[in-house]
Amino acid sequence: MSSTVDRSKRPLVIVSIMLATFMVAVEATIVATAMPRIVGQLGGFTYYSWVFSAFLLAQSTTTVIYGKLSDIFGRKPMLICGILIFLVGSTLAGFAWSMASLIAFRLLQGLGAGAIQPVTMTVVGDLYKLEERAKVQGALASVWAVSAVIGPLAGGIIVDNLSWAWIFWINLPVGVLSIAGFILFLHESVTPREAKIDYLGTILFSISIVSLLVILTETDAGFAVLFPLAIVFVVSGILFLWQERRAAEPIISIALWSRRLIATSNAATLLAGMALIGLTTVLPIYVQGVLGRSPLEAGFTLTMLIVGWPLAVMLASRFFRTFGIRRTLRAGSLMFPFGSLFLLFLTPESSPVIAGIGSFLMGFGMGLISLTSVVLVQESVEWSMRGSATASIIFSRSLGNTLGATALGAIMNVGIAHYGSGELAARLHDILSQPTGLSDLVGDPAIRGVFNAALHWSFWGVVIVALTTCATIWLIPVTRDAGRRAPMPKTDAQDAMTH
């Protein structure tokens, strides 16, 4: 199987990829900016993090499946299928009448989003040589920069002037144009072969992750509820590993993931994803509820994160040539936790600029980490496994996002219960359930103090995970001169990148 695209039409394929990427990228900032208003209208602040977790759970579960299917059936059908599912979920999310329905439709969105990032990145790997790929990835990274500006601005304008449903419906024209581009310009020659999809492994994995998320979310449910869930998590996890060792086409190849380069890259990416999603979900409500700023200002603190990320990606090829991949990767690993430390210095009197600086540094560090990890993993495997290998990185990031959103949301709820002493915690939840809840917090110093203290527990969680990410990255085996020399045949790349 191969992707056959005329060189003159490759830019048109990249434009289609940029449109599909834009849908996923803008979701990160526009939904985070609008969520406080949505929660105020629909109620159910306790399940705030589930709006993100549901999307990320479905995305992380299906990422490796789409990666495997793209190796079997081709990149094009998987991309079109994923975008269509994403658009259906976006349409329904705009009609959500409760938090439960919104969470369900976000889950459907995630089922489609699982195809977009891993398969589009695999298409880039198919169409461009290693020395060309950094420039193309830089162009794709500009999508994140544009969405970082447009997302918060659009989110603020929409929630202030239109129905919040439009934060989901704006995906429809973008998705249709992307599908048209893939149909017209991306052509593949696919050799059919019999495929055995690991449905049992998918089910066991989903049960294991969902039970873990419920444990993290319902921390106050009591032993009678949490203990059975813990048993379900452990048993389904063990059965999942057993199934993956015996399945003909496992959704997660134990042999692939056991390679040191891939294992450490995926572990670091998972931890980085946990830290970033924690920042994305917690920082906007801190800026609005504790600092008393507008949704637009809260959104622009996230803009700095997503501006730093693509900027680092665009500069990465120069860093590779000048310093080598190893030094570039480790520099990113140090900037990542350094940026998170700025969160600890936030007070109710702080300027959002402090939060923006921390976001930018974390985003820049993540940009260096993410691109370098993808390049190393893609070049460490043969062509027939590139889709699965690329998907493993995206899967790890998505799984980290899923766990991070739920865990740090749970930490916030525990902090509220701890500092609120019952009555204050109940008052805080009542205020947050109102349409103008976050702005009302500013006028109540006692409630504002509880919220500030609880959110700092989540900030400490981000810092600890970021430091762990840094330590894990230093375990990734990369030679000193990797990235400076001419690319070697893929059969030799694995040996060259490990000690």
Side-chain angles (χ1 to χ4, degrees):
M1 181 182 69
S2 62
S3 300
T4 56
V5 176
D6 185 288
R7 290 186 65 89
S8 64
K9 293 182 179 179
R10 286 196 305 183
L12 298 174
V13 175
I14 296 301
V15 169
S16 302
I17 290 175
M18 292 172 75
L19 288 171
T21 302
F22 177 78
M23 292 193 304
V24 178
V26 80
E27 282 288 292
T29 51
I30 196 170
V31 174
T33 303
M35 268 308 298
R37 183 68 59 87
I38 296 174
V39 171
Q41 292 186 14
L42 299 182
F45 180 78
T46 303
Y47 299 100
Y48 179 96
S49 63
W50 271 97
V51 175
F52 300 93
S53 298
F55 177 90
L56 296 167
L57 169 66
Q59 184 183 36
S60 60
T61 305
T62 55
T63 290
V64 290
I65 299 174
Y66 283 120
K68 172 67 71 174
L69 293 178
S70 74
D71 285 337
I72 298 172
F73 300 112
R75 323 300 190 202
K76 182 175 176 178
M78 292 302 101
L79 274 174
I80 293 175
C81 176
I83 294 172
L84 286 173
I85 295 173
F86 183 85
L87 294 181
V88 171
S90 297
T91 302
L92 294 174
F95 291 108
W97 58 90
S98 65
M99 283 293 282
S101 62
L102 179 61
I103 289 169
F105 298 141
R106 286 282 287 170
L107 188 75
L108 184 60
Q109 267 192 309
L111 291 175
I116 295 172
Q117 281 189 287
V119 182
T120 53
M121 292 176 67
T122 305
V123 170
V124 172
D126 292 343
L127 298 183
Y128 291 89
K129 297 178 182 179
L130 176 61
E131 57 269 24
E132 300 174 303
R133 210 173 301 158
K135 293 182 180 179
V136 178
Q137 293 286 5
L140 295 179
S142 67
V143 175
W144 291 89
V146 171
S147 67
V149 176
I150 292 178
L153 179 62
I157 292 174
I158 288 172
V159 297
D160 287 338
N161 300 283
L162 301 170
S163 167
W164 55 260
W166 284 99
I167 69 173
F168 299 107
W169 292 343
I170 61 172
N171 291 321
L172 300 180
V174 179
V176 170
L177 288 174
S178 179
I179 290 174
F182 289 125
I183 291 174
L184 294 174
F185 306 118
L186 180 59
H187 306 290
E188 296 177 316
S189 56
V190 181
T191 303
R193 65 184 179 92
E194 184 179 354
K196 296 181 180 180
I197 307 303
D198 184 17
Y199 295 109
L200 179 58
T202 302
I203 293 171
L204 290 170
F205 174 78
S206 300
I207 293 173
S208 180
I209 295 300
V210 169
S211 59
L212 176 61
L213 292 177
V214 174
I215 291 171
L216 293 173
T217 303
E218 305 297 329
T219 51
D220 57 348
F223 180 82
V225 175
L226 297 180
F227 182 70
L229 284 173
I231 293 176
V232 171
F233 167 65
V234 173
V235 172
S236 58
I238 292 173
L239 290 175
F240 170 71
L241 293 175
W242 171 77
Q243 168 64 14
E244 296 311 278
R245 290 185 179 278
R246 62 184 289 273
E249 296 279 357
I251 63 168
I252 294 180
S253 170
I254 302 299
L256 180 68
W257 280 59
S258 63
R259 299 183 186 182
R260 184 184 168 192
L261 173 62
I262 293 177
T264 51
S265 296
N266 287 342
T269 302
L270 183 146
L271 291 167
M274 288 183 66
L276 276 188
I277 196 64
L279 182 72
T280 302
T281 55
V282 175
L283 190 58
I285 59 177
Y286 186 90
V287 174
Q288 292 180 68
V290 178
L291 302 187
R293 305 295 177 136
S294 69
L296 193 60
E297 290 175 283
F300 274 112
T301 59
L302 293 184
T303 295
M304 296 307 295
L305 184 153
I306 309 179
V307 165
W309 187 325
L311 178 63
V313 172
M314 288 186 282
L315 295 174
S317 60
R318 294 185 181 180
F319 293 159
F320 289 172
R321 292 192 299 269
T322 305
F323 305 110
I325 284 183
R326 181 157 91 166
R327 289 180 178 175
T328 300
L329 182 61
R330 292 183 173 179
S333 75
L334 293 173
M335 292 187 67
F336 193 63
F338 179 67
S340 70
L341 292 175
F342 280 76
L343 302 176
L344 302 181
F345 294 97
L346 289 173
T347 68
E349 291 74 36
S350 295
S351 166
V353 173
I354 296 176
I357 293 172
S359 294
F360 176 82
L361 292 173
M362 288 189 72
F364 197 92
M366 185 61 184
L368 296 180
I369 294 167
S370 62
L371 177 62
T372 308
S373 298
V374 169
V375 169
L376 289 173
V377 167
Q378 283 186 339
E379 292 305 306
S380 71
V381 298
E382 57 273 19
W383 189 93
S384 62
M385 297 182 68
R386 186 180 294 154
S388 296
T390 304
S392 74
I393 283 284
I394 306 302
F395 164 78
S396 298
R397 186 188 306 162
S398 298
L399 180 58
N401 288 343
T402 306
L403 296 175
T406 306
L408 292 167
I411 291 172
M412 178 181 67
N413 286 327
V414 171
I416 290 174
H418 175 77
Y419 289 105
S421 303
E423 182 182 346
L424 284 178
R427 283 176 56 194
L428 176 55
H429 281 291
D430 288 341
I431 292 175
L432 293 173
S433 297
Q434 302 302 316
T436 58
L438 286 175
S439 59
D440 293 343
L441 284 177
V442 180
D444 192 328
I447 298 294
R448 185 186 186 190
V450 170
F451 204 41
N452 173 56
L455 290 175
H456 267 81
W457 276 24
S458 294
F459 289 155
W460 269 107
V462 171
V463 171
I464 292 170
V465 175
L467 289 170
T468 309
T469 304
C470 178
T472 306
I473 286 172
W474 283 66
L475 300 177
I476 297 176
V478 189
T479 57
R480 285 185 174 83
D481 59 343
R484 295 178 182 172
R485 58 181 178 270
M488 297 173 298
K490 293 182 176 58
T491 53
D492 298 328
Q494 176 67 20
D495 291 336
M497 292 183 180
T498 56
H499 291 301

